[in-house]
Amino acid sequence: MKIIRSPAAMTAWSEGLRRAGVTIGFVPTMGALHEGHRTLIREARLQCDALVVSIFVNPTQFGPQEDLAKYPRPISHDRAICRQEGVDVCFEPTAEAMYPAGFQTTVTVPAVARRWEGEARPHHFSGVATVVTKLFGMVRPHRALFGQKDFQQSVLVQQLVKDLNLGVDIVVRPTVREQDGLAMSSRNIYLSPDERARAVTLYKSLQAGAEVIKVGDTDAKAVRSVMDQVVTRESTITTDYLAVCDPRTLEPVSFVTSRVVLLGAIRLGSVRLIDNLLVNAPRRAS
Ligand code: PAF
């Protein structure tokens, strides 16, 4: 496996392969790789001839009060996973190479980024959209894989690629979960044992909402209220948002008449967790 740090060297490697007709798969990450990333890497390995994984903790998507400084950076562990999964290039640019002196162009994010994470984390999605655009420009992949865990990010990236004609095929893969249902995330390591035991509450709340829909209640208020009850039973958890939304626009719906996404964000102590579930409205008997 090659480790490339310079953006120019990354592009030169990819351009050489593109000219030879090789399809390049790409999994962008911030490192601290877990089973969720491994699943994306395996899928990309199957779908493409050559495979690049980027590891870059992108400073511009963190708010001033967020965890940029303490974000886990286990680079030897990450490289070992990449080697095990047959990655061809681990792209590890420095912050100086990504944002050199004089850098000034950023991507303004679309409406799908306005609510939910966009409200809770101002500038986050502009940072994500900008770095993803830059990484695509450097890696020149044919296809890039993202996890459904960051649902709003995946919708944003699809919109970005379409609006800016980036010419990358975006594949979104289902969330990988721990045995109890907690969505895998690099930030789960921040949870104390007690918080870890309670962290599954968010998934339980989404599941409870999905059950309401499955038994035929189409009123989004009723779905939300059941989701809310599950979280408020845990006095140490605070809700950032629980929502029933259109999965394309991420606008809240009043009634569940087709596929919806249940979105949630909670706080346990200083840890913030997000999760989501896609749910189909049950077919009406005719
Ligand atoms: O999902 C992530 O890990 C990051 O937001 C991404 C897409 C690598 C951009 O920094």
Side-chain angles (χ1 to χ4, degrees):
M1 182 178 80
K2 260 172 131 50
I3 292 168
I4 298 184
R5 295 184 73 83
S6 130
M10 182 67 251
T11 306
W13 184 87
S14 290
E15 281 303 319
L17 291 190
R18 286 184 82 102
R19 278 194 295 275
V22 171
T23 59
I24 301 171
F26 179 39
V27 180
T29 83
M30 296 209 300
L33 304 182
H34 50 67
E35 283 304 306
H37 295 111
R38 210 190 265 275
T39 307
L40 294 179
I41 294 171
R42 281 192 184 151
E43 187 67 38
R45 183 69 282 171
L46 290 174
Q47 294 185 11
C48 304
D49 303 324
L51 176 53
V52 180
V53 171
S54 64
I55 297 179
F56 177 62
V57 183
N58 175 36
T60 67
Q61 68 188 75
F62 287 77
Q65 311 304 327
E66 290 183 359
D67 55 343
L68 173 62
K70 71 166 189 175
Y71 197 84
R73 291 166 170 84
I75 193 66
S76 311
H77 158 273
D78 290 346
R79 285 180 185 162
I81 289 187
C82 290
R83 275 196 197 94
Q84 282 159 19
E85 298 303 335
V87 170
D88 296 298
V89 172
C90 199
F91 179 42
E92 301 172 14
T94 60
E96 293 70 33
M98 291 298 281
Y99 303 109
F103 174 85
Q104 46 187 295
T105 306
T106 57
V107 177
T108 305
V109 293
V112 291
R114 204 184 50 200
R115 291 179 187 271
W116 321 123
E117 288 307 285
E119 243 163 52
R121 306 179 68 190
H123 312 300
H124 170 68
F125 281 132
S126 171
V128 170
T130 303
V131 81
V132 167
T133 308
K134 285 173 69 67
L135 287 167
F136 284 176
M138 293 167 182
V139 176
R140 313 265 163 102
H142 293 88
R143 180 167 294 177
L145 287 85
F146 291 81
Q148 188 192 315
K149 153 81 177 23
D150 296 298
F151 191 84
Q152 194 171 9
Q153 169 174 281
S154 72
V155 175
L156 164 73
V157 169
Q158 289 173 87
Q159 189 71 43
L160 170 76
V161 166
K162 186 169 160 227
D163 290 347
L164 300 186
N165 306 89
L166 298 182
V168 180
D169 180 23
I170 303 298
V171 174
V172 180
R173 301 294 303 158
T175 304
V176 179
R177 298 183 180 281
E178 303 284 358
Q179 276 210 324
D180 65 351
L182 174 67
M184 290 206 180
S185 161
S186 305
R187 289 188 165 101
N188 290 351
I189 59 158
Y190 299 152
L191 295 164
S192 68
D194 180 54
E195 289 166 344
R196 170 62 193 85
R198 270 185 267 224
V200 71
T201 304
L202 177 54
Y203 180 55
K204 285 190 176 154
S205 152
L206 300 173
Q207 279 184 310
E211 275 312 308
V212 174
I213 296 170
K214 281 179 198 152
V215 298
D217 197 337
T218 59
D219 183 357
K221 266 203 210 116
V223 178
R224 258 221 50 177
S225 148
V226 167
M227 289 162 68
D228 225 32
Q229 279 166 30
V230 174
V231 178
T232 45
R233 253 185 251 141
E234 289 284 347
S235 58
T236 54
I237 298 182
T238 52
T239 304
D240 255 17
Y241 59 81
L242 290 168
V244 185
C245 298
D246 180 312
R248 284 154 306 166
T249 63
L250 299 185
E251 290 298 311
V253 298
S254 302
F255 294 97
V256 181
T257 50
S258 57
R259 193 172 223 220
V260 290
V261 62
L262 307 182
L263 296 173
I266 60 165
R267 284 175 199 271
L268 277 120
S270 61
V271 188
R272 188 167 178 279
L273 300 174
I274 61 170
D275 200 353
N276 66 85
L277 264 191
L278 279 164
V279 188
N280 291 317
R283 274 205 219 120
R284 286 168 177 242
S286 49

